[in-house]
Amino acid sequence: TNILELDVRAEGGAGLEAPDCEQIINEWSLPTELLTAQTSAPAKALRIITVIGNSMEPDFRPGERVLVDTDDRSPSPAGAFALWDGFGLVIKYVEVIPGSDPVMVRLISRNSVFETYERPAEDIHINGRIIGKWLWT
């Protein structure tokens, strides 16, 4: 199974789903059995990106590669997502604020130095749910 690795810094746009809009820097070949044991996402929906910045430490550290399921864009249930927040492509924990009308989402950094902030759901573009990362020891 082949998965594209994107340099998301190249465009800074609102999408991981369009490989022609982002610079492809690598194509990873992974055993199909490895992927199907971990996710039901189709390989064509998976992208690999590199974490930039420290707002999600310790969960996601700068330089780590994460696997994004671009078919999973619903912030319910809450989780870690790659998204365009109106300012840039970021990785944040996203949760829907119950009872909000219009629907609002809370964007949460793991690093307590960074503030949690809220945006109308219609003002952000969720590119996909983070479903894995590579760890090296």
Side-chain angles (χ1 to χ4, degrees):
T1 303
N2 292 330
I3 302 171
L4 299 177
E5 180 179 0
L6 305 177
D7 181 356
V8 294
R9 297 167 298 180
E11 287 295 321
L16 294 182
E17 70 281 357
D20 57 335
C21 294
E22 307 289 350
Q23 182 180 352
I24 298 169
I25 57 174
N26 206 349
E27 189 170 339
W28 292 48
S29 182
L30 300 173
T32 301
E33 297 79 14
L34 173 71
L35 284 176
T36 57
Q38 301 301 318
T39 182
S40 60
K44 67 177 180 49
L46 299 176
R47 297 290 183 264
I48 296 168
I49 62 172
T50 300
V51 176
I52 310 286
N54 64 346
S55 71
M56 293 301 288
E57 284 187 311
D59 293 2
F60 303 105
R61 299 182 188 281
E64 286 182 335
R65 288 182 172 91
V66 295
L67 185 62
V68 181
D69 177 359
T70 63
D71 277 355
D72 188 350
R73 296 174 184 213
S74 174
S76 182
F81 291 88
L83 63 106
W84 178 262
D85 69 353
F87 299 103
L89 186 67
V90 296
I91 296 174
K92 297 288 178 212
Y93 285 105
V94 180
E95 64 183 18
V96 174
I97 299 172
S100 58
D101 184 23
V103 177
M104 299 284 291
V105 292
R106 187 171 290 123
L107 304 174
I108 305 163
S109 298
R110 274 291 278 138
N111 185 336
S112 62
V113 170
F114 295 88
E115 296 287 328
T116 294
Y117 56 107
E118 299 174 357
R119 293 277 183 271
E122 65 185 27
D123 289 355
I124 66 167
H125 177 83
I126 294 177
N127 290 284
R129 185 180 294 268
I130 308 296
I131 61 170
K133 71 176 182 173
W134 277 260
L135 293 175
W136 302 99
T137 58

